[in-house]
Amino acid sequence: MIASNPASAPAKTILFGEHAVVYRQPAIAVPIAGLRAFAEAAPNQNGLRITAADLDIPVNVDTETVDHALALTARLVLKFLNASPPDVTINIRSDIPIASGLGSGAAVSTALARALCDVLGQQIDDTDLNTLIYEVEKIHHGTPSGIDNTVIVYERPVYFIRDQPLETLMIGQPFTLLIGDTGQSASTRAAVAGVRDLYERDPQRVQPMLDAIGEIVRHARSAIEHGDLAALGKLMQRNHDLLRDLTVSSPELDTLVAAAAKAGALGAKLSGGGRGGNMIALVMPELREQVEAALLDAGAVHIYTTEVG
Ligand code: MEV
């Protein structure tokens, strides 16, 4: 069955706890509903194909070789549903910048999986889809915590601890985030490996830093639930400082974070894998334009806005 609307999935941003979440500390992430990946199927006569800008791949169901993340996504869906590949071309398009900490890989795979389910007239519930997309995430990130696929598949704010049941996050008072893009693509896999290296070389120094991030995340959850935005902003700043100590910031990220704070943001920090990619700033609506202008002045190549709650 060819659906009339494209299937889709949102981008995500991590508010607190990236990197430490890999070491089983809690983290908080929210979907960005306005920034999405889409997948749309059209009939063809030559088996299952996946296309995107600069990409046209046939899906070979008889291989165990990990070739392309999108081919793997399709194979996992077919295997889960015990289905044969349909004669369709699924075209992917995405507004989410790649390699920038916004979950582009997980969003594209999730949209593709949903479009394929639609074509087959079958459903995979979010719990199973999340497990499936996590398998694909391993291609992108090596040893992912699972937070990206979880927030993207469920499309709701999450308080996430690796391998624990998902906890929903209540939002006491809606708030506005600006997402500032440094324009530098960055490999999450490399940043995670960098922190691993640091940890293995000096666990006595690094473990307390990870514990301190975990403590910040617990306080942040309470601040979000109580609508205490001033406290939330301060916690963002402390989280950023610890991420910098973990070597995952960059001069550009530090510049954008400082510019946002100077222009009146309640707090700012890098978001996601770091070493490039994006930062976030918590702003009161009346200062939004001012902070946005300061971020552009300080070198942001793109600004996205999202309302949380
Ligand atoms: C990437 O969006 C978040 C990291 O914590 C990696 C992960 O959780 O898998 C850096």
Side-chain angles (χ1 to χ4, degrees):
M1 199 202 336
I2 304 291
S4 49
N5 289 321
S8 76
K12 62 87 199 175
T13 185
I14 297 191
L15 300 194
F16 291 95
E18 51 275 269
H19 286 288
V21 69
V22 174
Y23 301 80
R24 297 196 155 66
Q25 299 291 339
I28 293 173
V30 297
I32 309 173
L35 200 56
R36 306 188 76 83
F38 300 91
E40 194 160 24
N44 69 25
Q45 258 132 49
N46 54 350
L48 178 55
R49 302 189 77 85
I50 302 167
T51 56
D54 301 327
L55 181 79
D56 181 0
I57 42 171
V59 176
N60 178 0
V61 279
D62 298 321
T63 180
E64 293 296 317
T65 322
V66 174
D67 38 13
H68 194 285
L70 293 176
L72 175 66
T73 306
R75 268 200 305 279
L76 290 172
V77 169
L78 293 172
K79 192 167 166 201
F80 185 88
L81 296 174
N82 202 11
S84 308
D87 282 336
V88 292
T89 299
I90 300 184
N91 185 52
I92 311 273
R93 70 191 157 83
S94 175
D95 300 332
I96 310 170
I98 55 172
S100 66
L102 294 173
S104 144
V108 161
S109 286
T110 303
L112 167 65
R114 289 188 172 139
L116 188 51
C117 287
D118 288 347
V119 169
L120 296 165
Q122 299 201 55
Q123 287 249 313
I124 300 181
D125 70 25
D126 283 349
T127 310
D128 290 327
L129 183 58
N130 194 27
T131 307
L132 193 150
I133 303 297
Y134 180 66
E135 286 307 306
V136 183
E137 280 286 279
K138 288 184 190 164
I139 299 192
H140 294 297
H141 297 329
T143 54
S145 65
I147 189 169
D148 290 9
N149 46 284
T150 300
V151 65
I152 284 168
V153 168
Y154 287 93
E155 196 166 352
R156 61 175 201 233
V158 296
Y159 182 83
F160 178 91
I161 302 174
R162 191 172 186 172
D163 298 329
Q164 300 283 316
L166 181 61
E167 292 181 52
T168 312
L169 184 71
M170 307 306 296
I171 311 290
Q173 185 189 326
F175 55 90
T176 306
L177 288 177
L178 294 181
I179 300 165
D181 189 350
T182 60
Q184 295 175 313
S185 63
S187 156
T188 299
R189 181 190 273 266
V192 169
V195 175
R196 170 71 59 195
D197 192 45
L198 203 66
Y199 180 82
E200 279 168 5
R201 273 191 283 130
D202 197 352
Q204 261 92 347
R205 188 173 78 86
V206 175
Q207 186 60 52
M209 289 154 72
L210 301 172
D211 292 341
I213 293 178
E215 197 54 26
I216 288 173
V217 180
R218 283 183 280 276
H219 285 297
R221 179 188 202 171
S222 163
I224 290 172
E225 293 187 339
H226 291 97
D228 187 348
L229 301 187
L232 200 61
K234 291 199 181 94
L235 290 164
M236 286 169 80
Q237 200 59 56
R238 279 170 48 202
N239 195 164
H240 180 77
D241 293 344
L242 282 157
L243 286 165
R244 197 182 43 218
D245 295 347
L246 284 174
T247 74
V248 293
S249 192
S250 68
E252 292 77 10
L253 283 165
D254 288 341
T255 300
L256 293 187
V257 166
K262 193 160 170 234
L266 293 173
K269 64 181 273 295
L270 73 86
S271 175
R275 295 190 174 167
N278 281 277
M279 51 72 70
I280 52 174
L282 175 64
V283 292
M284 297 308 278
E286 59 275 18
L287 289 181
R288 182 186 138 177
E289 281 179 19
Q290 191 171 311
V291 177
E292 204 169 318
L295 285 171
L296 289 169
D297 257 10
V301 296
H302 213 108
I303 312 262
Y304 309 94
T305 307
T306 190
E307 298 295 322
V308 180

